[in-house]
Amino acid sequence: MSSCVIGMDSKLVYVEADVSNGMPTFEMVGYLSSEVREAKERVRAAIRNTGITLPPKRITVNLSPADLRKSGSLFDLPIAAALLASLELIDCKNLEDVLIVGELSLSGEIKPVKGILPMAFAAKQYACKKFIVPKANAKEASVMQNIEVIGVETLEEFIQYMKNQKEIKKESINIEEIFSNQKNSSPLDFKDVNGQVLAKRASEIASAGMHNILLIGPPGSGKTMLAKRIPTILPPISLEESIEITKILSISGNLNQDYPLVSNRPFRNPHHTITKTSLIGGGTFIRPGEVSLSHRGVLFLDELPEFNKSVLESIRQPLEDRVVNISKATQSYQFPSNFMLVGAMNPCACGYYPDLNKCCCSETQVLRYLGRISGPLLDRIDICIELPQMKYDELSAKSENESSKDIQDRVVLAHKRQAKRYEGTEIYFNSNLNGNQIAKYCKLTKEVQKYAENIFAKMDLSARVYHRILKVARTIADLEGAKEIEIPHISEAICYKTLDKKYWKR
């Protein structure tokens, strides 16, 4: 047996081989991509260079089910195993309930492949006794407990193991120990940021509830500096979240094999020339995009208006649904995309609007520049904060700034209050609440409700914006340790949604 990764899941693939009399050929069937069809040449050469001569007979290899498209180079080793079993060079019984993956070089070396962790989950799900993988992937596969993982380096070693001529110790790791020993070694710290008190406060609130945030200000005001330090104040990831992130990196081929578990929340910072496929995912060989690679972490889009408008609009659905659905003619794929969006932008092309002493843009140019960010996308941003131009006394201030550790301690406390509130549900943060859950967890007293009603009418807010204000207010209350949402919490949350009215006149 082998496996094929479809989105975040893995499907079983049965590999069969038949050797019969007839014209010497090597045929492969089963809805195969070009790289799978090329496996016959790699397998033939690897077996020959291992010292085994294939007989001049008709060889047929079938990969089933026939309606599942197989892609990738991971079927090389299972094809070789099936062929060797047909030639009675290894015992078929030793292949029962064994999942095998691996790419073969022409010399017989077994190379690592992508998507090992989802395959390990499939191996456990389908009650496989063993999971034979390339040695380089063995630690990654061992993240899935209660399954025997065997790492092999060459085809010759694999044959000796299957013939019971060589004993290979099963790979095992202590995931709790590995996870707890890995520390965040980022050199970035909030104490390096002078001034911008309001922006720091907004960043803390956004981090406590994993709310989307937009930073607006002139060049040199510290937008990028602040954004890159947000990961240092986010709550540490749980083991469950770590496994989710690791699976995505495994599928994309970006996982460092020396560290089988990710210990820090991801921070992705794509350039504004990124394509829609790279951001959302997809392509000829379906792979997760940046919105999925930033799952449970931060997606930072710097110079937001410089992104192609269609690319920006494509993240609206992932922001709302927390998943990405990619449909092809024969298969549908789903990737998680529960990330915190951090955007940074100048208020105009020159960067100095509304300071008319410095800004050289006309009103039409300003409107055109800001118009690259649509209203529906702005509605999905919970917090919008303005960073003013830094003054000299702020830059030269010698007072000690608050460190990331101090801010993170408050964020962690707020997160613990959320975890206790949402225990038994699939909610992690206040930003994950939907309409029904907002009504349940963001209840307002009559006094606060009347206040919110007046604000809703005066500001002509949409239902989506109103719900986001309530979620931010809930986070502010959590940071203060308040059980109920109070008027100051609502007021502060509203302030973070009024800036778009100043610039976008909406």
Side-chain angles (χ1 to χ4, degrees):
M1 289 188 295
S2 189
S3 185
C4 183
V5 176
I6 305 295
M8 289 292 292
D9 300 318
S10 189
K11 306 290 184 183
L12 278 185
V13 175
Y14 295 90
V15 183
E16 306 167 303
D18 177 70
V19 180
S20 59
N21 294 325
M23 182 72 71
T25 59
F26 195 138
E27 297 292 336
M28 294 180 59
V29 296
Y31 197 12
L32 313 176
S33 64
S34 58
E35 67 270 19
V36 180
R37 292 186 181 279
E38 292 167 356
K40 62 183 180 182
E41 301 302 334
R42 294 191 293 269
V43 170
R44 196 199 306 265
I47 291 177
R48 183 179 64 250
N49 291 324
T50 304
I52 299 172
T53 302
L54 291 176
K57 292 188 176 185
R58 180 179 179 83
I59 298 172
T60 305
V61 175
N62 176 45
L63 280 69
S64 63
D67 61 346
L68 178 66
R69 183 168 176 78
K70 294 88 182 175
S71 61
S73 57
L74 57 94
F75 297 106
D76 292 5
L77 186 57
I79 289 171
L83 182 53
L84 292 170
S86 295
L87 296 172
E88 298 182 351
L89 295 175
I90 59 177
D91 192 346
C92 292
K93 291 183 180 180
N94 291 337
L95 295 175
E96 292 178 0
D97 298 326
V98 177
L99 193 69
I100 305 171
V101 296
E103 177 185 344
L104 287 172
S105 69
L106 300 184
S107 64
E109 179 187 356
I110 301 175
K111 297 182 176 181
V113 297
K114 300 176 183 178
I116 285 291
L117 192 53
M119 295 178 202
F121 275 81
K124 182 179 180 181
Q125 179 183 351
Y126 294 108
C128 296
K129 295 178 182 177
K130 293 181 182 178
F131 187 24
I132 299 179
V133 301
K135 183 65 176 178
N137 292 128
K139 285 186 178 180
E140 179 186 345
S142 299
V143 170
M144 176 49 61
Q145 305 289 288
N146 303 322
I147 184 170
E148 187 175 349
V149 176
I150 303 295
V152 289
E153 295 183 280
T154 64
L155 180 59
E156 182 178 8
E157 183 183 32
F158 170 77
I159 294 171
Q160 291 174 348
Y161 176 75
M162 298 309 292
K163 294 172 72 173
N164 299 320
Q165 295 176 351
K166 181 176 182 178
E167 182 179 350
I168 300 178
K169 187 178 180 182
K170 72 174 184 178
E171 194 78 25
S172 62
I173 59 173
N174 187 328
I175 59 174
E176 285 82 7
E177 182 180 344
I178 291 175
F179 182 71
S180 60
N181 287 342
Q182 296 185 67
K183 304 295 183 182
N184 188 349
S185 57
S186 173
L188 303 178
D189 199 292
F190 260 79
K191 68 181 179 182
D192 302 327
V193 183
N194 289 338
Q196 305 298 8
V197 176
L198 291 178
K200 289 180 183 178
R201 168 66 174 172
S203 299
E204 179 181 340
I205 295 168
S207 301
M210 292 297 281
H211 298 287
N212 303 323
I213 181 172
L214 177 61
L215 308 172
I216 305 177
S221 57
K223 302 184 296 296
T224 303
M225 185 180 186
L226 198 66
K228 288 185 176 180
R229 282 159 176 75
I230 285 179
T232 65
I233 63 173
L234 291 175
I237 58 174
S238 64
L239 181 57
E240 182 183 352
E241 290 176 305
S242 174
I243 291 175
E244 284 182 35
I245 299 167
T246 305
K247 283 178 70 175
I248 298 170
L249 292 178
S250 175
I251 293 167
S252 66
N254 294 330
L255 183 65
N256 186 339
Q257 295 298 329
D258 294 330
Y259 301 97
L261 270 180
V262 176
S263 60
N264 300 319
R265 294 189 183 276
F267 178 83
R268 306 292 296 188
N269 182 16
H271 192 260
H272 62 77
T273 56
I274 190 172
T275 64
K276 188 187 297 186
T277 300
S278 298
L279 184 63
I280 299 300
T284 305
F285 306 104
I286 304 297
R287 290 289 181 267
E290 292 292 334
V291 296
S292 298
L293 293 172
S294 56
H295 179 64
R296 302 295 184 193
V298 174
L299 175 64
F300 175 43
L301 302 183
D302 201 3
E303 304 297 344
L304 201 61
E306 300 300 329
F307 285 78
N308 186 289
K309 190 167 184 178
S310 64
V311 172
L312 284 182
E313 293 302 300
S314 68
I315 67 173
R316 283 162 49 182
Q317 183 263 332
L319 283 172
E320 196 71 24
D321 299 338
R322 310 288 181 178
V323 294
V324 172
N325 296 298
I326 301 170
S327 296
K328 293 288 184 178
T330 58
Q331 189 73 46
S332 294
Y333 304 80
Q334 187 177 90
F335 296 105
S337 61
N338 192 352
F339 61 91
M340 173 183 170
L341 175 65
V342 178
M345 61 177 285
N346 297 328
C348 66
C350 74
Y352 293 102
Y353 179 82
D355 186 349
L356 300 182
N357 294 321
K358 291 184 177 181
C359 182
C360 59
C361 301
S362 67
E363 186 174 349
T364 302
Q365 289 174 321
V366 172
L367 292 175
R368 186 183 298 117
Y369 186 82
L370 294 174
R372 298 176 187 176
I373 313 299
S374 70
L377 180 58
L378 283 171
D379 282 350
R380 288 167 171 81
I381 295 174
D382 303 341
I383 297 175
C384 192
I385 192 72
E386 186 175 24
L387 284 75
Q389 188 73 47
M390 295 285 290
K391 297 178 180 179
Y392 177 78
D393 57 347
E394 291 178 317
L395 290 172
S396 59
K398 296 182 179 180
S399 58
E400 187 72 19
N401 296 317
E402 199 170 24
S403 69
S404 291
K405 182 65 172 62
D406 294 334
I407 301 173
Q408 188 188 45
D409 289 342
R410 295 195 297 269
V411 169
V412 169
L413 281 176
H415 179 221
K416 287 180 178 179
R417 292 175 184 123
Q418 292 170 65
K420 183 177 180 181
R421 182 187 308 122
Y422 306 132
E423 188 175 3
T425 70
E426 295 182 355
I427 302 171
Y428 284 84
F429 301 98
N430 291 327
S431 60
N432 299 145
L433 295 171
N434 59 33
N436 293 332
Q437 292 164 340
I438 289 172
K440 179 179 179 181
Y441 296 110
C442 299
K443 291 181 180 180
L444 305 178
T445 63
K446 289 184 178 180
E447 182 185 5
V448 178
Q449 191 171 10
K450 185 176 180 180
Y451 176 79
E453 184 181 345
N454 291 334
I455 294 295
F456 183 85
K458 288 180 180 179
M459 297 184 65
D460 192 24
L461 302 176
S462 68
R464 179 184 285 119
V465 171
Y466 176 67
H467 285 160
R468 290 188 180 276
I469 287 172
L470 288 181
K471 289 191 283 187
V472 173
R474 180 65 268 175
T475 300
I476 296 170
D478 288 336
L479 280 168
E480 294 185 2
K483 291 185 178 180
E484 302 288 343
I485 297 175
E486 299 172 1
I487 289 179
H489 307 146
I490 290 281
S491 299
E492 185 177 0
I494 289 171
C495 290
Y496 297 129
K497 284 303 292 182
T498 56
L499 195 61
D500 59 352
K501 290 185 176 292
K502 172 182 175 180
Y503 286 104
W504 283 270
K505 315 296 182 185
R506 53 191 295 278

